[in-house]
Amino acid sequence: MTSRYLLKGGTVATSVQGGDEARVYRADVLVEGTTITRIEQDIVPGTGVEVIDCEGKWITPGFVDTHRHVFMTVLRGNHCDYLLSEYLVKMSWSTQGSLTPEEIGIGTLAGCLDALHNGVTTILDHFHAAHTPAHADAALRAVLESGARVIWAPARQSPPTQLFPSMEFARDAETAKWQREKLKELASVDGGKLRPDGRVTLGLAYDGVWQGPMSTHQEFLAFARTLPVSVITAHVVKGPSILQWRDGGLLGSDVVFSHCNVLADRPAPDDETWAALRNSGAAIASTPEDELGMAHGNPVALDALKRGVKCGLGVDATSINSGDMFKQMRTALQWARGHDHERIHLNKLTAPSHNKYSSADAFRLATLGGAEALGLAELIGTVEVGKRADLLVFDTSSVNLAGAGDPITGVVFHASSEDIETVLVDGEIVKRGGKLVREWAPVARELRKRADDVRQRWPEDKLEENWKKWYGTNGAPAV
């Protein structure tokens, strides 16, 4: 039976396609099946419609996370003080390769539920721990079980088989072979829809363009696009990767580059790297909280918005920072404002009458901007008739929000997960009355057990010993 919900008496707050301003208005929202079918005042509920009282509450789109390593919830809190270079040695090249399918599975399930609890209804999951078919199966099974909307993007990479005296990847050829076949197998069923309803789709994470002949990358990405994969994502921090992708003919509107802090050092209006993104339709996934803390470089999200380059926000990993988009919005906005104020001060320019960037800009990045970056703006990202019902209801009588008049500034600067009363994904209620519908306690118990197992195998003193040895011999890895 098709579920039908009437969100009654609320205030809708949404970005608008084709503009930077937000729209706020009173209305009821009718959801039938997966879709928003009516938005107007005083809708009379029909037979079989469940009425959700939204009087005095805010109705917004679900948040869209454009870059998250979901499985890393099994390492929650382990990397909060790391530099990116330190993280590569201690996590990517050490801990990660030892994770079991069971650890990957519970980390992924808990990570997706964490996202839903925080109002993140869509995730681009850059899954770089597909070490074996069993690891890939465990991660995908958890994604499908969670109820989140996910572009599941397994990475074409393998863990190092040796770190000292030099790095070796002895199993990469073997891994490349089965990963190619796995992609082909998954895409062969309904064109990459990993759930029949399309809530989970197939993507690809591809970070290898910096090594080996360009022809290898051209062939593999051409293969992936014929399957097809819906999104191709890659890390870019400070290196020249964007121009390498351009020169190799690899850019396209299906490409999402995470971070792109190199662009903060390229302020010229006609810069060729910015132009490569804008002209190709490729997008940026900015994760400002960890970019600032781990020495990636300065965030570029708001700059991208003003330059007409598609951009969304992301959490990156809950092993490093929190899993909510509220902090990403605030960090991105306040960093951009502070940087602009510093520019004005250092250049002795006339003080402005208003901030250059607004709360509506940050709200857009976390909703419609993310949907645009992932090629999903026709489906999600705004509250509109005909779009999928990925919706949040905020309780404005909460301690955090009581007295706030503007939903946009309220969500960006004051709200937290505890204020999200209801979450819908594809018209399915996954959080009701402030609690996940899925029972959390058994997930938490399993997560705690598996997380403790990882920490026992890799105590911090052992990781620090590896890092000091690497740093003393090689210096910090280039990022």
Side-chain angles (χ1 to χ4, degrees):
M1 181 181 294
T2 299
S3 297
R4 303 170 72 202
Y5 301 104
L6 179 61
L7 280 56
K8 185 76 174 167
T11 297
V12 174
T14 182
S15 296
V16 179
Q17 287 186 264
D20 294 335
E21 297 303 313
R23 187 177 176 212
V24 176
Y25 59 99
R26 290 262 302 175
D28 303 340
V29 178
L30 181 63
V31 174
E32 297 182 280
T34 63
T35 307
I36 300 169
T37 58
R38 291 175 66 188
I39 305 174
E40 55 194 79
Q41 291 194 17
D42 302 321
I43 297 175
V44 177
T47 303
V49 175
E50 179 183 341
V51 177
I52 299 175
D53 182 10
C54 294
E55 188 67 38
K57 297 172 184 177
W58 300 334
I59 303 167
T60 76
F63 297 128
V64 180
D65 186 323
T66 55
H67 181 68
R68 188 184 296 222
H69 306 291
V70 181
F71 78 93
M72 288 174 61
T73 301
V74 78
L75 305 168
R76 194 197 296 271
N78 290 7
H79 309 139
C80 300
D81 290 333
Y82 284 10
L83 294 165
L84 177 57
S85 53
E86 183 182 2
Y87 162 92
L88 291 174
V89 174
K90 289 184 173 182
M91 192 281 174
S92 301
W93 303 338
S94 298
T95 308
Q96 181 177 305
S98 78
L99 296 177
T100 67
E102 293 76 18
E103 289 159 354
I104 293 293
I106 193 61
T108 302
L109 178 59
C112 286
L113 294 176
D114 175 295
L116 293 172
H117 176 65
N118 282 290
V120 177
T121 52
T122 299
I123 308 165
L124 173 53
D125 181 8
H126 184 138
F127 176 55
H128 55 53
H131 306 320
T132 69
H135 286 78
D137 291 345
L140 179 55
R141 192 162 50 246
V143 164
L144 293 169
E145 184 182 332
S146 73
R149 186 182 301 282
V150 178
I151 299 175
W152 186 67
R156 166 58 292 272
Q157 67 184 67
S158 63
T161 51
Q162 176 179 292
L163 191 57
F164 301 109
S166 61
M167 288 184 71
E168 291 184 2
F169 295 84
R171 292 194 295 268
D172 196 59
E174 171 192 341
T175 301
K177 182 178 179 181
W178 77 255
Q179 287 177 344
R180 178 186 286 261
E181 290 305 310
K182 190 71 171 177
L183 283 173
K184 190 174 180 179
E185 172 195 329
L186 291 170
S188 68
V189 181
D190 205 9
K193 288 183 179 179
L194 303 179
R195 271 181 55 143
D197 58 8
R199 198 187 300 187
V200 180
T201 56
L202 181 64
L204 172 68
Y206 197 85
D207 279 329
V209 168
W210 59 275
Q211 60 183 348
M214 178 57 71
S215 59
T216 300
H217 310 305
Q218 291 167 331
E219 185 280 328
F220 194 90
L221 292 180
F223 156 76
R225 282 171 164 140
T226 62
L227 293 174
V229 296
S230 58
V231 169
I232 298 169
T233 189
H235 291 97
V236 174
V237 181
K238 284 290 193 179
S241 298
I242 295 170
L243 296 183
Q244 290 173 341
W245 280 66
R246 180 200 65 183
D247 295 344
L250 305 177
L251 287 179
S253 59
D254 57 352
V255 173
V256 178
F257 290 124
S258 50
H259 312 306
C260 293
N261 310 99
V262 63
L263 294 170
D265 303 325
R266 307 184 75 90
D270 59 350
D271 176 73
E272 65 172 334
T273 309
W274 279 108
L277 295 176
R278 186 171 55 251
N279 295 340
S280 67
I284 296 170
S286 179
T287 65
E289 189 177 8
D290 75 331
E291 289 168 5
L292 287 169
M294 297 182 79
H296 291 60
N298 294 331
V300 298
L302 274 299
D303 200 4
L305 196 65
K306 298 304 181 185
R307 286 176 179 262
V309 172
K310 293 187 299 184
C311 186
L313 298 177
V315 162
D316 206 343
T318 57
S319 69
I320 301 166
N321 45 244
S322 64
D324 70 80
M325 295 291 274
F326 303 109
K327 294 179 184 66
Q328 304 305 327
M329 287 189 285
R330 292 165 198 161
T331 303
L333 180 58
Q334 299 298 62
W335 156 255
R337 286 174 169 177
H339 190 57
D340 192 52
H341 299 159
E342 181 183 46
R343 176 187 62 82
I344 292 166
H345 171 71
L346 293 177
N347 290 283
K348 297 181 171 54
L349 302 176
T350 302
S353 59
H354 298 88
N355 268 315
K356 182 177 180 179
Y357 304 108
S358 70
S359 297
D361 292 330
F363 184 88
R364 191 185 197 285
L365 285 168
T367 54
L368 178 57
E372 291 171 339
L374 301 184
L376 296 175
E378 296 306 310
L379 286 180
I380 61 169
T382 58
V383 183
E384 292 183 67
V385 170
K387 286 200 172 182
R388 295 298 179 92
D390 290 9
L391 299 169
L392 311 181
V393 178
F394 286 83
D395 175 13
T396 61
S397 65
S398 69
V399 173
N400 293 330
L401 297 181
D406 180 357
I408 302 299
T409 58
V411 168
V412 172
F413 277 103
H414 298 287
S416 71
S417 62
E418 68 187 76
D419 308 306
I420 302 173
E421 186 174 85
T422 306
V423 177
L424 291 93
V425 183
D426 235 17
E428 177 188 355
I429 294 178
V430 295
K431 182 177 181 180
R432 186 192 284 265
K435 297 186 182 228
L436 288 168
V437 172
R438 167 68 185 258
E439 188 181 1
W440 173 249
V443 178
R445 285 194 295 270
E446 179 70 8
L447 179 66
R448 186 180 299 113
K449 176 185 180 302
R450 299 294 181 180
D452 287 344
D453 289 345
V454 176
R455 280 188 280 264
Q456 287 172 13
R457 285 202 309 275
W458 290 97
E460 184 57 33
D461 57 353
K462 181 178 178 180
L463 293 170
E464 182 66 16
E465 181 182 343
N466 276 357
W467 170 235
K468 286 181 177 178
K469 184 176 179 180
W470 177 280
Y471 189 84
T473 304
N474 304 295
V479 295

